[in-house]
Amino acid sequence: MKLGNDDLRYTFLVQDILENEDFCKLKYIEHHATNKYVHSLRVSYYAYKIARALKLDEEAVARAGLLHDFAISKNGRNFKERFIETFTHPKVALMESKKRFPLSDMEENIIVSHMFPFYTALPKYVESWLVVSVDKTIGSFELLKKFFNRATYFANVYILVLFSILK
């Protein structure tokens, strides 16, 4: 998936992150109906476009939006592990991001507060609230897609079983 390639400014702002070897590992970690890389790219790009339109700090939004889920986790986690990660990954994402990239105070707050109100860090900036909102919106659509895909699969199986019984 390539979001933002037609927007040279966006690409310029986040190129170093997109080329980072560790960040690219997010492509292999399931997240809702996609992976963490695609999810983070969507959040970053759409938040960037809104920030740009509202004359907010588009650079901080683009970069921190991309890094908001930068917590490497294994696939196949059980429910308990995924549940715990919901509440711990903002801090882990901030630590991993700080190891690899220089961050402003605003970028740090965007990353660590993106799970508000499920994580204790409060969004301090309008830009932080923007990323929280975009992340929740995109995450909701991704979860709905995942649910719809599963429901469609089970409906197809049900129809196949029904047809085989009626034969």
Side-chain angles (χ1 to χ4, degrees):
M1 177 178 166
K2 295 184 179 186
L3 286 176
N5 282 349
D6 60 340
D7 193 321
L8 294 177
R9 172 129 174 88
Y10 174 80
T11 304
F12 173 78
L13 292 174
V14 299
Q15 193 69 41
D16 62 320
I17 298 171
L18 294 175
E19 293 174 351
N20 180 275
E21 184 179 327
D22 291 324
F23 184 80
C24 288
K25 291 176 184 175
L26 296 181
K27 292 177 183 178
Y28 307 105
I29 301 172
E30 179 188 349
H31 191 72
H32 306 311
T34 186
N35 60 57
K36 281 188 175 187
Y37 184 92
V38 170
H39 168 78
S40 297
L41 189 57
R42 285 179 179 150
V43 170
S44 170
Y45 185 68
Y46 291 120
Y48 161 81
K49 294 296 268 186
I50 294 167
R52 190 172 175 140
L54 296 176
K55 308 258 188 269
L56 299 174
D57 188 337
E58 63 199 54
E59 180 176 358
V61 167
R63 294 181 63 76
L66 201 51
L67 295 168
H68 81 279
D69 276 341
F70 188 25
I72 307 297
S73 54
K74 63 181 176 153
N75 279 321
R77 297 162 302 193
N78 63 34
F79 176 79
K80 181 181 175 186
E81 291 169 325
R82 287 192 321 266
F83 183 77
I84 291 170
E85 187 178 297
T86 298
F87 302 99
T88 60
H89 84 271
K91 185 177 180 181
V92 174
L94 178 59
M95 290 183 332
E96 293 299 321
S97 298
K98 285 173 78 169
K99 282 184 203 173
R100 293 164 183 84
F101 307 102
L103 300 174
S104 68
D105 289 341
M106 181 184 291
E107 290 167 332
E108 287 185 18
N109 183 254
I110 291 170
I111 294 166
V112 78
S113 69
H114 82 273
M115 283 300 292
F116 182 82
F118 303 108
Y119 187 71
T120 56
L122 260 165
K124 295 193 281 186
Y125 306 95
V126 173
E127 290 84 352
S128 302
W129 286 103
L130 172 61
V131 172
V132 167
S133 301
V134 172
D135 182 40
K136 298 297 178 276
T137 302
I138 289 174
S140 296
F141 279 108
E142 290 168 350
L143 282 171
L144 284 172
K145 181 180 178 188
K146 183 176 184 176
F147 174 77
F148 181 76
N149 288 345
R150 285 184 180 172
T152 302
Y153 171 78
F154 286 115
N156 288 335
V157 169
Y158 175 77
I159 290 169
L160 288 173
V161 169
L162 186 62
F163 280 142
S164 69
I165 290 171
L166 293 176
K167 282 186 180 181

